[in-house]
Amino acid sequence: MSEATTHRPTYRPGELEAEANAADNRNRWLLSLPALVIIVCAAAGPLLVMVVYSFLTPGDYGNVKWEFSLEGWIGTLVQRDIFDDTLMWADAHLSIFWRSLSLSLITTFLTLIFGVPTAWFIATQPPSRKQFWLFLVTVPFWTNLLVRTIAIQELIRSEGVINLVLLKIGIITEPIQMMFTDFAIGFGMTYVYLPLMVLPVYAAVDKLDFRLVEAAHDLYAGRWTAFRRVILPLIKPGIIAGSILVFVPSLGAYVTPRVLGGGKNLMFGNLIELQFGAGRNWPLGAALSLMLMAAVMVSLIFYVRVTSREQADG
Amino acid sequence: MIQIENATKTFGQGDSAFTALRDVSVDIAANEFFTLLGPSGCGKTTLLRLIAGFEPPTKGAILLSGSDISRLPPNQRPVNTVFQNYALFPHMSVAQNIAFGLEMLGKPKAEIAKTVDEMLRLVRMEELKDRRTSEISGGQQQRVALARALAPHPQVLLLDEPLSALDLKLRKEMQIELKRLQSETGITFVFVTHDQEEALTMSDRVAVMNAGRILQVGSPRDIYERPSERFVANFIGESNFLDAERIGGDVTLAAGGSFAAAVPEGVPEGKVSVLIRPEHIRVRGGQPEAGELSAKVETVVYSGDATTLHLRLATGEVLKARMANAPDSDAAVPAEGQDAAVSIAPGAVTVLRD
Amino acid sequence: MADARKGYSVRTLPGFAIVALFTLVALYAPIAILVVFSFNEGTSLAIWEGFSLRWYRQAIANEAVQDAALRSLFLALSASFVATTAATMAALATTRTRRFPGRTIIYALINQPLMVPEIVTAVALLIVFAWIKVWTGHTSMIYLIVAHTAFCIPFAYLPIRARLETMDMSLEIAARDLYASRWLTFRRVTLPLMWPGIVAGLMLAFVISLDDVVITEFVKSAGQETLPTYMLGQLRRVVTPEVNAISTAILLAGAILVSLFFRLTNRQS
C-alpha cells in the first residue's frame, strides 16, 4: 500500500549526512570550548608567551625589556666573563643538568628495584585482597607531595629519627649529614614517585596470562629463566610506562629538591626558579623552561613510540 | 505507510568506505507485520536505523504516510524501537522504563499511569513493575522493552533481532506473543531477523536482503515456494538447483523430463537454472517409468521425522530428496547404491533469475 | 607466600614478596612517624615526650593557618567545581564518537597540563599574570582560581571519560527514540548514569587543587598564602610539630577523599 505522495523529496547525495555531521561537529566543539578556553588561557597560551620572552632582554629588576636578544638561549649553556666578555661553558648550569639527569635516572632505577616486586606481589594476590593492597599503594600517590617530602625531611634531619636511632645503638657518634645532599634528593624522589612505578607495572602483571609462565616452566625453564625470558618481555610495556612516569616528574621536580636539597644542590626546576627570583634573568629562565619542556617531550614521544610499537607487535 | 525511496547508506570515506545499503526502495503497508530477513551485514539493521532516524541516509529519502521524515530527529518520529540488547534504563524501574516515552510526550500523569498498567498487563509483567531492570530475566527484559516501545502507541514499531538473545523455547513463545501483540494493537511492525524460520512464521510479508540490496519482497509462501533468485532459495530452506532449458512456461531438465514452471519476470528463454525443494521429490526403488527420472542412491540419512536421500542423476547432478517418515515407510526407501526412480510433484519447479 | 598445599606456584618469585612488604612498610613509615610526632608533648620531631594536642591547638589558634586553610578550601572548591563542569562537557564531546575534525587537538589541549612539568607552567603563568596584574592593577584570587582550574581539568576529565566509555550508547539512542529531546536525554539518562564519574572527577580535582604548591607559589599575589605554600614558607624556619599537625590534617582530608574516590570508581566497574 503506498499513499499518494504530495511532493517527492529530493536530497543531494550526502546532503542529510553533511547536515547531521556539521551539527554534530559544532556541538562537540561548543561543549569542549569552556575547557579549551581555560587551558589555553592558563596553561597552553602562557607557554607560547614564554617562547617570546626567551628572546627578549632581561630587565634591570626582573621582568624584561622589549628588545630582541639571544642572550637568554646562549646563557643556558655558556656564560660571559664579567671582565673581558670571553665565553666559557656555564659549569654551574652543566653540573645542575647533570645532577637532574643522573638523579632522575637513579630515582627511576630505584623505583624499578622496589616497584616491580611490589607490583608483582599485589597482582598475584587473590582478587579479594588485591584491591586492598592496590588501595594501600594508591593512597600515598594521591596524598600531598609536600607533606610526604616533609615526612622524609623529618626522618633524615640531623636531629631526625634515623640519626637518633643510630646514635642510640652506638653505630655512629656524630649525626650523619643527610639533609641538603644529593642523597636526600634521590631518597626523597624515590619515596614520593614510587607509586607511579607500581601502578602501571601492576596493570601489566595483572593482564599477564599465567598459562604462558606455566608453559615456560613446562618447557624446563627455572623461575629466573622464566622471569627473564617470558615474564619480563610480556610486562615490558608496563615497566616502560612506569619508568617514564617516574623519570619525567623527577626531571622537572621542584618541591622535593627545594626542601631536601637546600640552596646548594639545585635541580633543573630550582635553576629555573632562580632566574625568576634572585637571578632576575627572565629570558634565561624562559629558555631553560623550554629546554626542560623539550626534554620531557622527547621522553614522552619515546614512550609513545615504544608503546605503540609494542602494541603493533602484540 | 512507510516508503523507503532509493536509500543508500555509506559509512566511512575513501578506501575504508563501506556501503551498507544500495539503492533500496520498499513500501511497507499499514498494520503489516513486515520482516527484513538476511545474513549478518546485509544492511537490514541499517535500514531499520534509517527508519528510526538514528542515521541519515547518504542518498534517498524516507516517507511516513506520504510525508517526508528524512530530516526529523528520532524524537519527532512516531516510530519506536525494540533494541537488540533491549537498552533498558538501568537506573529506572520496570514501570518507569515503560512510562518514559509517555512522559517525554508530556502526557498527563493519570493517563501515563493508566497506559503503563495496560502495557504491564499486555506483556504480563504486573507483579514485577517496581523491580529494577537488572533484577529480571532476559525474557522479562525483552517484554519490558516491548512494552516500553509500545506504550506511546507509535505508528510503527521497529524490532531489531529482539529474540536473538533468548533460548529456543522462549523464542518460540515470544514469536507467538509478538504476533498476538501486533494483531491486538494494529501497529505496523518492522522486524529484523537472520532466522528464516522466524521470518516465515510471523510475517505478513518478508523482504530478503543481501549485500545491501532487497532481493525479493513477498508473502512467506511466495518467498519459500517462488524464490526469484538462487540466493533467496538458498537462504531459505533446503534447495536443489538443476540446469534446464526453458521455452515459454515449460522447462525441460537436462536430466530429462518436462515440467510446467513458475517463471519470474525478466528471465530470457533458453538455458536456465531451476529450483526444486527436496520435500517435493518422491523416490522409489526400481526402474523409472514415464515422467520419472532415473538416479542412483548415494547416501541415506535418517533424521527422525524424515529421511534425506542424496541421488546422483544421469547428468552427474546431485539431487536431495526429503521424505517424511511414517511407521511403515521403511520398506519404501531404497537403500544406498540401489537404482531409483525419481518423480517431481506438479508445480514444484521454479525458474530462478540468477 | 608459597603455601605448601598449593605446591609449586608459577606466581611466586623468590624474594619478591619480601621486597614488596618492605616497600609497603617503607611507604607508610615516614608518614606514620610524622603523624605520631604531631601528637608529641615536646618540640622534638624525634624524641617522644608524651601525648598532647598542643600543636593542633596552636595550629588552630594561628591566624595565618586559619587564613591559609580557608583560602585553600575556597580555592579548591571553586577550581574543582569549574574544572569538573568544563571537563564533563568536554568528556561528553570527545567520547563515543567517530573521528571528527579537531578531535586530536581537543585531546592534546585537555591533556596538555599533564604533559608539561609544573615548574614550567608555573613560571609561564608568572610571566603572563605579572603582566596582566600590572596592566589592570587587579590582584584578586581569580588568577589562582583560573590557574588551578586549568590543571584540574585533565584530572577531572579522566574518570568522567572512563565512565562514559563504559556506558551503553544505545541507552541514549533509546531515550531519543522515546521522544526525549537532546536536553531531556542528557538530564534523564546520560547525567544519572555518568554521575559517579562526575563525583569521582570532582573529588580528584579537589585533591589535586588542595595539594598544589608549585603553581600556587608562583601565581599568588602578596597575602594569598594557601596551606601548602604557608607550610613551604615555614620549612625555612625552625620546624615544630605544628607543621606535623597541619600535615596530618591535610593527609586525613586527602585519605578520606581518596578512599571515597576508590569506592566510587570500583563500584562502577
Side-chain angles (χ1 to χ4, degrees), chain A residues 1-9 11-17 19-20, chain B residues 1 5 9-10 27 29-30 56-61 63 66 68 70-71:
Chain A
M1 182 168 94
S2 66
E3 295 85 352
T5 322
T6 41
H7 84 287
R8 302 234 133 212
Y11 296 109
R12 277 176 283 110
E15 179 183 351
L16 292 169
E17 280 175 338
E19 273 172 26
Chain B
M1 185 75 192
E5 296 203 329
K9 180 70 192 175
T10 307
D27 281 13
T58 307
K59 283 182 209 155
L63 287 81
D68 176 27
S70 312
R71 224 188 224 117

CSV table of all heavy atoms in Angstrom, one decimal, chain A residues 1-9 11-17 19-20, chain B residues 1 5 9-10 27 29-30 56-61 63 66 68 70-71:
chain,number,residue,atom,x,y,z
A,1,MET,N,0.8,-1.2,0.0
A,1,MET,CA,0.0,0.0,0.0
A,1,MET,C,0.9,1.2,0.0
A,1,MET,O,1.7,1.4,0.8
A,1,MET,CB,-0.8,0.0,1.3
A,1,MET,CG,-1.8,1.2,1.3
A,1,MET,SD,-3.0,1.0,2.6
A,1,MET,CE,-2.3,1.8,4.0
A,2,SER,N,0.7,2.1,-1.0
A,2,SER,CA,1.5,3.3,-0.9
A,2,SER,C,0.6,4.5,-1.1
A,2,SER,O,-0.2,4.6,-2.0
A,2,SER,CB,2.5,3.3,-2.1
A,2,SER,OG,1.9,3.4,-3.3
A,3,GLU,N,0.7,5.5,-0.2
A,3,GLU,CA,-0.1,6.6,-0.2
A,3,GLU,C,0.3,7.6,-1.3
A,3,GLU,O,1.5,7.5,-1.7
A,3,GLU,CB,0.0,7.4,1.2
A,3,GLU,CG,-0.6,6.6,2.4
A,3,GLU,CD,0.4,5.6,3.0
A,3,GLU,OE1,1.5,5.5,2.4
A,3,GLU,OE2,0.1,5.0,4.0
A,4,ALA,N,-0.6,8.4,-1.7
A,4,ALA,CA,-0.3,9.4,-2.7
A,4,ALA,C,0.7,10.4,-2.1
A,4,ALA,O,0.5,10.9,-1.0
A,4,ALA,CB,-1.5,10.1,-3.2
A,5,THR,N,1.8,10.5,-2.8
A,5,THR,CA,2.9,11.4,-2.3
A,5,THR,C,2.6,12.8,-2.8
A,5,THR,O,2.5,13.0,-4.1
A,5,THR,CB,4.3,11.0,-2.7
A,5,THR,OG1,4.3,9.6,-2.6
A,5,THR,CG2,5.3,11.5,-1.8
A,6,THR,N,2.5,13.8,-2.0
A,6,THR,CA,2.2,15.1,-2.4
A,6,THR,C,3.4,15.7,-3.1
A,6,THR,O,3.4,16.3,-4.1
A,6,THR,CB,1.7,16.0,-1.3
A,6,THR,OG1,2.5,15.8,-0.1
A,6,THR,CG2,0.2,15.8,-1.0
A,7,HIS,N,4.6,15.6,-2.4
A,7,HIS,CA,5.8,16.0,-3.1
A,7,HIS,C,6.9,15.0,-2.9
A,7,HIS,O,7.0,14.4,-1.8
A,7,HIS,CB,6.2,17.4,-2.6
A,7,HIS,CG,7.1,17.3,-1.3
A,7,HIS,ND1,6.5,17.0,-0.1
A,7,HIS,CD2,8.4,17.5,-1.1
A,7,HIS,CE1,7.4,17.0,0.8
A,7,HIS,NE2,8.6,17.3,0.3
A,8,ARG,N,7.7,14.8,-3.9
A,8,ARG,CA,8.8,13.8,-3.8
A,8,ARG,C,10.0,14.6,-3.3
A,8,ARG,O,10.5,15.5,-3.9
A,8,ARG,CB,9.1,13.3,-5.2
A,8,ARG,CG,8.0,12.6,-5.9
A,8,ARG,CD,8.3,11.2,-6.3
A,8,ARG,NE,7.3,10.3,-5.8
A,8,ARG,CZ,7.5,9.0,-5.5
A,8,ARG,NH1,8.7,8.6,-5.5
A,8,ARG,NH2,6.5,8.3,-5.1
A,9,PRO,N,10.5,14.1,-2.1
A,9,PRO,CA,11.7,14.8,-1.6
A,9,PRO,C,12.9,14.5,-2.4
A,9,PRO,O,13.1,13.4,-2.8
A,9,PRO,CB,11.8,14.2,-0.2
A,9,PRO,CG,11.2,12.9,-0.3
A,9,PRO,CD,10.1,13.0,-1.3
A,11,TYR,N,17.0,15.0,-2.2
A,11,TYR,CA,18.1,15.5,-1.5
A,11,TYR,C,19.3,15.2,-2.4
A,11,TYR,O,19.4,14.2,-3.0
A,11,TYR,CB,18.3,14.7,-0.2
A,11,TYR,CG,17.1,15.0,0.8
A,11,TYR,CD1,16.2,14.0,1.1
A,11,TYR,CD2,17.0,16.2,1.4
A,11,TYR,CE1,15.2,14.2,2.0
A,11,TYR,CE2,16.0,16.5,2.3
A,11,TYR,CZ,15.0,15.5,2.6
A,11,TYR,OH,14.0,15.7,3.4
A,12,ARG,N,20.3,16.1,-2.3
A,12,ARG,CA,21.5,15.8,-3.0
A,12,ARG,C,22.2,14.7,-2.3
A,12,ARG,O,22.0,14.5,-1.0
A,12,ARG,CB,22.5,17.1,-2.9
A,12,ARG,CG,22.1,18.1,-4.0
A,12,ARG,CD,23.0,19.3,-3.8
A,12,ARG,NE,22.5,20.2,-2.8
A,12,ARG,CZ,23.1,20.4,-1.6
A,12,ARG,NH1,24.3,19.8,-1.4
A,12,ARG,NH2,22.6,21.2,-0.7
A,13,PRO,N,23.0,13.9,-3.0
A,13,PRO,CA,23.7,12.8,-2.3
A,13,PRO,C,24.5,13.3,-1.1
A,13,PRO,O,25.3,14.3,-1.3
A,13,PRO,CB,24.6,12.2,-3.4
A,13,PRO,CG,23.9,12.5,-4.7
A,13,PRO,CD,23.2,13.9,-4.4
A,14,GLY,N,24.4,12.7,0.0
A,14,GLY,CA,25.2,13.1,1.2
A,14,GLY,C,24.7,14.3,1.9
A,14,GLY,O,25.3,14.7,2.9
A,15,GLU,N,23.6,15.0,1.4
A,15,GLU,CA,23.2,16.2,2.0
A,15,GLU,C,22.8,16.1,3.4
A,15,GLU,O,23.2,16.8,4.3
A,15,GLU,CB,22.0,16.8,1.1
A,15,GLU,CG,21.4,18.1,1.7
A,15,GLU,CD,20.2,18.5,0.9
A,15,GLU,OE1,19.9,17.9,-0.2
A,15,GLU,OE2,19.6,19.5,1.3
A,16,LEU,N,21.9,15.1,3.7
A,16,LEU,CA,21.4,14.8,5.0
A,16,LEU,C,22.6,14.5,6.0
A,16,LEU,O,22.6,14.9,7.1
A,16,LEU,CB,20.4,13.7,5.0
A,16,LEU,CG,19.1,14.1,4.3
A,16,LEU,CD1,18.2,12.9,4.2
A,16,LEU,CD2,18.3,15.2,5.1
A,17,GLU,N,23.5,13.7,5.5
A,17,GLU,CA,24.7,13.3,6.3
A,17,GLU,C,25.5,14.5,6.7
A,17,GLU,O,25.9,14.7,7.8
A,17,GLU,CB,25.5,12.2,5.6
A,17,GLU,CG,24.9,10.9,5.7
A,17,GLU,CD,25.8,9.9,4.9
A,17,GLU,OE1,26.5,10.3,4.0
A,17,GLU,OE2,25.7,8.7,5.2
A,19,GLU,N,24.6,17.6,6.8
A,19,GLU,CA,23.9,18.4,7.8
A,19,GLU,C,24.1,17.9,9.2
A,19,GLU,O,24.4,18.6,10.1
A,19,GLU,CB,22.4,18.4,7.5
A,19,GLU,CG,22.0,19.5,6.5
A,19,GLU,CD,20.5,19.3,6.2
A,19,GLU,OE1,19.7,18.7,7.0
A,19,GLU,OE2,20.1,19.8,5.1
A,20,ALA,N,23.9,16.5,9.3
A,20,ALA,CA,24.0,15.9,10.6
A,20,ALA,C,25.4,16.0,11.2
A,20,ALA,O,25.6,16.3,12.4
A,20,ALA,CB,23.6,14.4,10.6
B,1,MET,N,2.3,3.4,4.0
B,1,MET,CA,2.7,3.7,5.4
B,1,MET,C,4.1,4.3,5.4
B,1,MET,O,4.3,5.4,5.5
B,1,MET,CB,2.5,2.5,6.3
B,1,MET,CG,2.8,2.7,7.7
B,1,MET,SD,1.3,3.6,8.4
B,1,MET,CE,2.0,4.1,10.0
B,5,GLU,N,12.7,5.4,-0.3
B,5,GLU,CA,12.9,5.7,-1.6
B,5,GLU,C,14.4,5.8,-2.0
B,5,GLU,O,15.1,6.7,-1.5
B,5,GLU,CB,12.2,7.1,-2.0
B,5,GLU,CG,10.7,7.0,-1.8
B,5,GLU,CD,10.0,8.1,-2.6
B,5,GLU,OE1,10.7,9.2,-2.8
B,5,GLU,OE2,8.9,7.9,-3.0
B,9,LYS,N,23.2,3.9,1.9
B,9,LYS,CA,23.9,4.4,3.1
B,9,LYS,C,25.4,3.9,3.0
B,9,LYS,O,25.6,2.7,2.9
B,9,LYS,CB,23.3,3.8,4.4
B,9,LYS,CG,24.0,4.2,5.7
B,9,LYS,CD,23.8,5.7,6.0
B,9,LYS,CE,24.7,6.2,7.1
B,9,LYS,NZ,24.6,7.6,7.3
B,10,THR,N,26.3,4.9,3.1
B,10,THR,CA,27.7,4.5,3.0
B,10,THR,C,28.3,5.0,4.3
B,10,THR,O,28.1,6.1,4.8
B,10,THR,CB,28.4,5.2,1.9
B,10,THR,OG1,27.7,4.9,0.7
B,10,THR,CG2,29.8,4.8,1.7
B,27,ASP,N,8.0,-0.3,0.0
B,27,ASP,CA,6.8,0.3,0.7
B,27,ASP,C,6.3,-0.7,1.7
B,27,ASP,O,6.1,-1.9,1.4
B,27,ASP,CB,5.7,0.4,-0.4
B,27,ASP,CG,5.9,1.7,-1.2
B,27,ASP,OD1,7.0,2.2,-1.2
B,27,ASP,OD2,4.9,2.1,-1.9
B,29,ALA,N,3.2,-1.5,4.3
B,29,ALA,CA,1.8,-1.1,4.4
B,29,ALA,C,1.4,-0.9,5.9
B,29,ALA,O,2.1,-1.5,6.8
B,29,ALA,CB,0.9,-2.1,3.8
B,30,ALA,N,0.4,-0.2,6.1
B,30,ALA,CA,-0.2,0.0,7.5
B,30,ALA,C,-0.6,-1.4,8.0
B,30,ALA,O,-1.1,-2.2,7.3
B,30,ALA,CB,-1.3,1.0,7.5
B,56,PRO,N,21.2,9.4,9.2
B,56,PRO,CA,20.6,9.9,8.0
B,56,PRO,C,21.0,9.1,6.8
B,56,PRO,O,22.1,8.5,6.8
B,56,PRO,CB,21.2,11.3,7.9
B,56,PRO,CG,22.5,11.2,8.6
B,56,PRO,CD,22.4,10.1,9.6
B,57,PRO,N,20.2,9.0,5.7
B,57,PRO,CA,20.6,8.2,4.5
B,57,PRO,C,21.7,9.1,3.7
B,57,PRO,O,21.6,10.3,3.8
B,57,PRO,CB,19.3,8.1,3.7
B,57,PRO,CG,18.5,9.2,4.2
B,57,PRO,CD,18.8,9.5,5.6
B,58,THR,N,22.6,8.3,3.1
B,58,THR,CA,23.5,9.0,2.2
B,58,THR,C,22.8,9.6,1.0
B,58,THR,O,23.0,10.7,0.5
B,58,THR,CB,24.7,8.1,1.8
B,58,THR,OG1,25.2,7.5,2.9
B,58,THR,CG2,25.8,8.8,1.0
B,59,LYS,N,21.9,8.7,0.4
B,59,LYS,CA,21.1,9.2,-0.7
B,59,LYS,C,19.7,8.7,-0.4
B,59,LYS,O,19.5,7.7,0.3
B,59,LYS,CB,21.6,8.5,-2.0
B,59,LYS,CG,22.8,9.2,-2.6
B,59,LYS,CD,23.1,8.5,-3.9
B,59,LYS,CE,24.6,8.6,-4.2
B,59,LYS,NZ,25.1,7.5,-5.1
B,60,GLY,N,18.7,9.3,-1.1
B,60,GLY,CA,17.3,8.8,-0.9
B,60,GLY,C,16.6,9.5,0.2
B,60,GLY,O,17.1,10.4,0.9
B,61,ALA,N,15.4,9.0,0.4
B,61,ALA,CA,14.5,9.6,1.4
B,61,ALA,C,13.6,8.6,2.1
B,61,ALA,O,13.5,7.5,1.6
B,61,ALA,CB,13.7,10.7,0.8
B,63,LEU,N,9.7,8.3,3.8
B,63,LEU,CA,8.5,8.9,3.9
B,63,LEU,C,7.6,8.1,4.8
B,63,LEU,O,7.6,6.9,4.9
B,63,LEU,CB,7.8,9.0,2.5
B,63,LEU,CG,8.3,10.1,1.6
B,63,LEU,CD1,9.6,9.5,0.9
B,63,LEU,CD2,7.3,10.5,0.6
B,66,GLY,N,3.2,9.3,3.5
B,66,GLY,CA,3.3,10.3,2.4
B,66,GLY,C,4.0,11.5,2.7
B,66,GLY,O,4.3,12.3,1.8
B,68,ASP,N,7.6,13.5,4.0
B,68,ASP,CA,9.0,13.2,4.1
B,68,ASP,C,9.5,13.4,5.6
B,68,ASP,O,9.2,14.4,6.2
B,68,ASP,CB,9.7,14.2,3.2
B,68,ASP,CG,11.2,14.1,3.4
B,68,ASP,OD1,11.7,13.0,3.7
B,68,ASP,OD2,11.9,15.1,3.1
B,70,SER,N,12.7,12.4,6.4
B,70,SER,CA,14.2,12.2,6.4
B,70,SER,C,15.0,13.1,7.3
B,70,SER,O,16.0,12.7,7.8
B,70,SER,CB,14.7,12.4,5.0
B,70,SER,OG,13.9,11.7,4.0
B,71,ARG,N,14.5,14.3,7.5
B,71,ARG,CA,15.2,15.2,8.3
B,71,ARG,C,14.8,15.2,9.8
B,71,ARG,O,15.5,15.9,10.6
B,71,ARG,CB,15.0,16.6,7.7
B,71,ARG,CG,16.3,17.4,7.6
B,71,ARG,CD,16.1,18.8,7.2
B,71,ARG,NE,17.1,19.2,6.2
B,71,ARG,CZ,16.7,19.6,5.0
B,71,ARG,NH1,15.5,19.6,4.6
B,71,ARG,NH2,17.7,19.9,4.1
